[in-house]
């Protein structure tokens, strides 16, 4: 009598796809419950987050379902980039109001480059000029977000 062997599953994709789908369900339910969706001809403030939540669910299922048929190929996780980039994002969130948009972006970029060991000075210079310029064009000029460009508290 043969023993039934359960096929290996890609647990990383199962967990990440499930988490993405769960986040999508949460966002859609929250947007539907708290904001007006409106109609397609007169969209309400909740239609965009609701739609993004549905897309998250679809992407999550697109990752989750094939993971049940593929073998697990867990490689070693490099924690340094995850930790450094998370710190950089939190640092940006904590400093954007006190010191302004441009210095907060520059600070975030400088900290986040510590996650990469092989960053070239030219690449860093392009980032330090390009990203703040793009943020200024998008958020200040394009969208009119009332954030100070630079505010020096000292």
């Amino acid at each position: 009598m043969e023993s039934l062997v359960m096929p290996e599953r890609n647990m990383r994709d199962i967990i990440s796809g499930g988490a993405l789908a769960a986040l999508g369900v949460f966002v859609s339910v929250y947007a539907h419950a708290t904001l007006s969706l409106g109609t397609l001809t007169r969209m309400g403030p909740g239609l965009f987050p609701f739609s993004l939540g549905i897309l998250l669910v679809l992407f999550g299922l697109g990752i989750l379902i094939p993971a049940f048929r593929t073998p697990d190929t867990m490689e070693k996780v490099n924690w340094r980039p995850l930790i450094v980039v998370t710190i950089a994002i939190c640092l940006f969130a904590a400093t954007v109001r006190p010191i302004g948009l441009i210095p907060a972006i520059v600070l975030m970029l400088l900290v986040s480059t510590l996650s990469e060991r092989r960053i070239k000075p030219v690449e860093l210079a392009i980032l330090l000029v390009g990203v703040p310029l793009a943020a200024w064009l998008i958020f200040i000029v394009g969208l009119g977000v009332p954030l100070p460009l630079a505010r020096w508290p000292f």
Side-chain angles (χ1 to χ4, degrees), residues 115-135:
S115 68
E116 179 63 44
R117 297 179 197 268
R118 298 175 309 255
I119 188 101
K120 296 176 183 151
V122 173
E123 293 172 347
L124 180 59
I126 291 170
L127 279 174
L128 291 176
V129 172
V131 174
L133 179 64

Side-chain angles (χ1 to χ4, degrees), residues 40-51:
L40 287 178
T41 56
R42 190 162 176 91
M43 295 181 204
L47 188 60
F48 186 69
F50 178 80
S51 302

Side-chain angles (χ1 to χ4, degrees), residues 29-118:
V29 168
Y30 183 79
H32 187 270
T34 59
L35 300 167
S36 169
L37 296 181
T39 64
L40 287 178
T41 56
R42 190 162 176 91
M43 295 181 204
L47 188 60
F48 186 69
F50 178 80
S51 302
L52 285 180
I54 297 298
L55 282 174
L56 283 175
V57 170
L58 294 175
F59 287 140
L61 291 176
I63 294 170
L64 175 70
I65 292 170
F68 285 106
R69 294 187 302 264
T70 58
D72 191 4
T73 56
M74 276 295 263
E75 59 267 355
K76 185 180 173 215
V77 176
N78 187 0
W79 290 100
R80 179 182 171 146
L82 175 68
I83 293 169
V84 171
V85 170
T86 301
I87 290 170
I89 292 170
C90 293
L91 186 63
F92 172 80
T95 60
V96 69
R97 292 263 182 216
I99 67 173
L101 182 66
I102 304 298
I105 289 174
V106 168
L107 187 61
M108 176 187 64
L109 289 172
L110 288 172
V111 171
S112 64
T113 57
L114 297 174
S115 68
E116 179 63 44
R117 297 179 197 268
R118 298 175 309 255

